[in-house]
Amino acid sequence: MENKDVIVYRLGAGCDLADVEEGKIYQAKVQGFATFGMFAQINDRIKGLVHKSNIKAEHKERDPVLVRVRQIRPNGNIDLEEVLVQVYQVQNVDRKSTIVCISDLAGKVGKTVAIEGEIAQIKQTSGPTIFTIVDETGTQNAAAFVEAGVRAYPDAELDDIVKIVGEVMLRNNQLQIEVDSLSVLRDEDAAAVKIRIEKALDARSEPENIPLLVQSDVMEKLRPEMRKIAKIIRKAVFTSQPIILRHHADADGICSAVAIEQAVVSLIKDSGGDFDADYFLFKRAPSKAPFYEIEDITRDLDFSLKDHIRYGQKMPLVLLTDNGSTEEDEPAYKIASVYDIPFVVIDHHHPDATIDKYLKAHVNPYHAGGDFGITAGMLGTEVARLINPKVERLIRHLPAVAGVGDRSEAAERALFLTLVHDQYPEQVCKDIALALDYEQFWLRFNDGREIIKDILNLTGNPERHRKLVSLLVEGANFMIEDQMSASMPHVVPRVLKNEAHLFLIDVEIHAHKFTFPPPGKTSGEVHDRLCKQNAGIPVVTIGFGPDFAVLRSRGVLMNIPKMVRELRNEIPGGGISGGGHLVVGSIKFVEGMRDVVLEALIGKISDADIQKGK
Ligand code: MN
């Protein structure tokens, strides 16, 4: 039998009985002896008996031997005979078993399976290395162990396509694969799997075709772009890409972000992975400024890069809501583009076309003939329903809260209010919006995830929700009244040449500082009172400090972002910046130029047209 053509098979670790064939020769190891022969192991889990009549040499335990499979009995017992060959070729036997889909693993606990997929995360623990694998049906963790705290399969990298064979286990009620073998697929093999996964993920990420909550021509026109954002977010969830959601820190911004938070978190939980995946794969954070500023991108980038290095996480997708549409966001986008971080935006601030080159998708009512009356909270809730229709019942009141919070005058405000009128009448929505603003003031720039959920009645504890909101409203109103009794006597009125009534209030010296309500909201409250006192008359209120002014107007057709740009050009040395909505916004300048800037600003307001019937 001394022949180079003799083939000896080496049975892979993942192989089971189905991979063993009668008549073939296998490498084996002596496991032990009995009176009638010796046992030989073909791999860790498969052994057979060599009857003493078929033993050809003397052996001790653990000796390597070559064995031919004489017979596999119906009960799974294997009869072997020893063969003696000197020259032969070795061929590996890989598990022939079909690849199992990740979504089918729950039914295979205790079984050894093979899966194919992309590595979405590599986390080194003090014990095993945890690979998070994504296939076309789901996400699963696979634990590979060489030595405590030592990285297993160091050749396998993030985004590699791999084949894993291992046993499906339940650990703390969570499925996990215990890796027997992991191989990185290359070239055509990898490409084929990648294409298969990509195609299936693309189909799976496609949002359901559901109608809007309310009838709205503008929102109907925005639907394709809303679907696009929903699809991008769903895909990020299915591929374990972290999502950072940044939003304006007011009631509208919070509503838009929380609606999406509900949808994303429940989608993450449904699609497998770690029990706390929703915490490290999703982060919501309010932005300090009314735009995505350099401080924000710097923080987000810093944390993402550290998580990427430390926990083997992918770089994130960033979603901005109630922020992101204006050129003020551009410096941050530029920094992010160095790292190829993808951005999507849901905003209702007047958009600047220059920023679209940085965005993967951009929902804004101005793109469809609408205006800021269709608020970020309304748009965010519709996108959230597309991401995960399951959460609709929970979040359908958020657009009404957002609408009253942002003082929307669009027809959609009434439609969303009607939708939830039974449980959330208008005054209740106003209270919730005020409670959100007040709580966010104390939260500063934390997201307050769980407290905010209680304020919005998302935790299934309506009693606690009511108590909390009523207490916060009481506190907020008390502080607002206190502020108004200090400020209102110092309002300076002026009638402009377009007959708009202008009111000026120095919030730096006639309002309490560093407390609620802050200057912007203080000016808004002053404005609301002045509008009531001057019913039927166009009103503009300017609340100013040493180096800033906040504008509110009713019945005057202004374009604040445009006025700010003009002033910046017309007043050299003014240090002017700012923006916001067309008729609600803010402007910054250097202290020494305040009077010049304010007078020029007032000049522009008195040139603005008056809106009829307001
Ligand atoms: Mn808003």
Side-chain angles (χ1 to χ4, degrees):
M1 285 232 4
E2 302 209 356
N3 187 334
K4 270 189 214 158
D5 295 336
V6 171
I7 296 169
V8 169
Y9 294 92
R10 182 192 292 136
L11 198 63
C15 293
D16 59 28
L17 197 56
D19 302 303
V20 179
E21 286 182 47
E22 286 180 1
K24 285 187 171 171
I25 303 172
Y26 293 90
Q27 291 185 336
K29 208 158 64 183
V30 175
Q31 190 208 31
F33 298 91
T35 46
F36 42 84
M38 72 178 182
F39 290 101
Q41 275 191 304
I42 313 178
N43 73 4
D44 280 353
R45 73 183 72 193
I46 297 171
K47 66 174 179 182
L49 176 70
V50 188
H51 191 264
K52 57 187 176 191
S53 62
N54 290 321
I55 297 175
K56 308 275 168 66
E58 272 200 27
H59 297 291
K60 54 183 190 308
E61 269 183 38
R62 305 182 66 85
D63 273 357
V65 285
L66 299 180
V67 292
R68 175 185 284 114
V69 175
R70 288 164 56 93
Q71 190 191 2
I72 302 173
R73 296 179 191 232
N75 65 1
N77 284 353
I78 306 172
D79 292 340
L80 303 170
E81 77 179 295
E82 183 175 8
V83 289
L84 298 172
V85 263
Q86 304 301 324
V87 183
Y88 53 86
Q89 294 180 26
V90 175
Q91 272 184 21
N92 289 322
V93 179
D94 283 329
R95 189 180 163 84
K96 274 192 307 220
S97 59
T98 46
I99 302 297
V100 174
C101 287
I102 283 176
S103 62
D104 292 336
L105 291 177
K108 306 220 179 295
V109 175
K111 299 214 167 80
T112 294
V113 298
I115 59 166
E116 280 177 347
E118 192 172 309
I119 300 180
Q121 192 186 336
I122 305 169
K123 191 173 176 181
Q124 184 56 54
T125 69
S126 56
T129 308
I130 308 289
F131 294 92
T132 302
I133 307 298
V134 171
D135 77 358
E136 57 268 51
T137 66
T139 307
Q140 194 53 259
N141 282 344
F145 187 81
V146 268
E147 214 179 295
V150 174
R151 168 78 141 82
Y153 302 101
D155 291 344
E157 290 168 12
L158 205 59
D159 296 333
D160 274 351
I161 301 284
V162 292
K163 179 182 177 183
I164 287 177
V165 176
E167 190 179 340
V168 184
M169 313 276 278
L170 262 183
R171 287 232 181 278
N172 306 321
N173 266 330
Q174 261 197 286
L175 284 177
Q176 180 175 293
I177 297 175
E178 221 130 281
V179 178
D180 285 332
S181 75
L182 180 153
S183 41
V184 178
L185 305 186
R186 305 278 179 207
D187 309 325
E188 310 96 80
D189 291 345
V193 176
K194 213 175 169 80
I195 288 166
R196 192 183 81 209
I197 292 177
E198 191 55 41
K199 225 172 128 188
L201 273 178
D202 204 66
R204 196 172 153 223
S205 305
E206 197 63 52
E208 261 180 57
N209 219 337
I210 47 171
L212 298 170
L213 280 172
V214 298
Q215 277 254 295
S216 159
D217 288 347
V218 173
M219 288 171 76
E220 200 59 54
K221 280 185 204 149
L222 292 173
R223 206 133 79 112
E225 198 70 2
M226 292 202 265
R227 291 181 61 86
K228 196 171 167 190
I229 289 192
K231 185 172 178 177
I232 291 170
I233 292 173
R234 284 172 62 84
K235 206 166 192 174
V237 170
F238 296 148
T239 56
S240 291
Q241 181 180 25
I243 298 171
I244 296 174
L245 202 180
R246 282 280 192 172
H247 60 91
H248 191 197
D250 71 353
D252 179 43
I254 295 168
C255 286
S256 65
V258 170
I260 289 170
E261 175 181 86
Q262 292 297 306
V264 169
V265 164
S266 96
L267 197 63
I268 290 175
K269 287 193 164 147
D270 288 352
S271 57
D274 287 324
F275 68 95
D276 60 348
D278 55 316
Y279 263 84
F280 61 85
L281 288 181
F282 179 85
K283 285 191 184 75
R284 174 172 75 78
S287 281
K288 202 164 168 179
F291 55 92
Y292 189 62
E293 60 180 337
I294 293 181
E295 189 176 329
D296 297 332
I297 180 62
T298 305
R299 273 180 77 84
D300 292 344
L301 196 55
D302 181 31
F303 282 112
S304 299
L305 286 168
K306 284 173 182 162
D307 285 350
H308 180 62
I309 298 298
R310 213 172 145 199
Y311 302 119
Q313 276 189 13
K314 294 184 177 180
M315 289 301 276
L317 166 71
V318 182
L319 166 64
L320 305 181
T321 68
D322 203 13
N323 260 349
S325 279
T326 68
E327 61 179 17
E328 291 170 286
D329 305 285
E330 195 162 346
Y333 290 148
K334 279 187 177 158
I335 295 171
S337 67
V338 173
Y339 289 89
D340 284 327
I341 293 176
F343 275 81
V344 289
V345 167
I346 300 171
D347 195 6
H348 66 142
H349 289 81
H350 196 264
D352 293 312
T354 49
I355 55 124
D356 279 324
K357 59 176 174 286
Y358 301 103
L359 310 181
K360 290 264 180 275
H362 183 190
V363 169
N364 190 307
Y366 287 95
H367 293 159
D371 65 21
F372 63 93
I374 295 174
T375 75
M378 298 174 185
L379 298 166
T381 302
E382 293 291 359
V383 171
R385 293 172 62 236
L386 291 170
I387 294 169
N388 188 354
K390 227 174 73 177
V391 298
E392 174 183 322
R393 193 186 47 79
L394 214 54
I395 60 172
R396 65 207 309 258
H397 60 298
L398 302 195
V401 176
V404 300
D406 251 18
R407 297 145 201 268
S408 163
E409 290 179 6
E412 283 78 358
R413 166 190 165 128
L415 296 176
F416 279 114
L417 276 166
T418 306
L419 186 72
V420 294
H421 184 265
D422 290 348
Q423 208 190 341
Y424 300 98
E426 184 161 353
Q427 189 52 48
V428 171
C429 292
K430 283 183 174 166
D431 286 351
I432 295 175
L434 179 59
L436 286 174
D437 280 336
Y438 186 57
E439 184 63 29
Q440 189 62 59
F441 177 80
W442 300 113
L443 280 168
R444 297 177 61 82
F445 301 100
N446 297 313
D447 67 342
R449 190 151 165 175
E450 301 303 323
I451 305 173
I452 296 292
K453 267 156 66 175
D454 268 329
I455 294 174
L456 287 169
N457 198 17
L458 303 177
T459 54
N461 194 336
E463 192 49 38
R464 192 167 65 191
H465 153 76
R466 270 191 294 273
K467 269 190 200 161
L468 181 60
V469 169
S470 102
L471 205 62
L472 292 171
V473 166
E474 196 183 307
N477 280 331
F478 180 82
M479 295 185 81
I480 291 169
E481 283 314 315
D482 190 38
Q483 189 79 302
M484 288 308 107
S485 63
S487 301
M488 286 302 283
H490 302 285
V491 170
V492 179
R494 216 200 266 193
V495 179
L496 303 179
K497 71 168 195 265
N498 59 359
E499 298 195 336
H501 286 226
L502 173 73
F503 297 95
L504 292 155
I505 171 74
D506 187 334
V507 289
E508 177 74 7
I509 56 173
H510 295 303
H512 300 292
K513 281 193 277 188
F514 311 117
T515 186
F516 186 86
K521 190 165 177 66
T522 297
S523 308
E525 290 292 334
V526 168
H527 178 69
D528 286 351
R529 280 160 179 74
L530 293 167
C531 283
K532 268 189 200 145
Q533 291 168 15
N534 295 275
I537 298 169
V539 171
V540 179
T541 307
I542 300 180
F544 61 90
D547 61 352
F548 68 90
V550 186
L551 281 84
R552 308 258 164 174
S553 71
R554 181 192 66 185
V556 184
L557 294 168
M558 303 197 300
N559 181 338
I560 294 173
K562 186 166 162 255
M563 293 193 313
V564 170
R565 272 196 295 274
E566 287 171 5
L567 290 172
R568 192 160 61 201
N569 293 330
E570 290 161 14
I571 307 176
I576 293 166
S577 67
H581 290 298
L582 294 182
V583 297
V584 181
S586 60
I587 173 167
K588 281 175 139 186
F589 38 78
V590 289
E591 196 170 339
M593 291 294 278
R594 179 176 83 177
D595 295 348
V596 177
V597 174
L598 283 183
E599 277 315 311
L601 178 65
I602 292 166
K604 290 201 182 291
I605 296 169
S606 52
D607 288 339
D609 289 334
I610 299 301
Q611 200 176 356
K612 295 205 173 62
K614 288 276 173 175

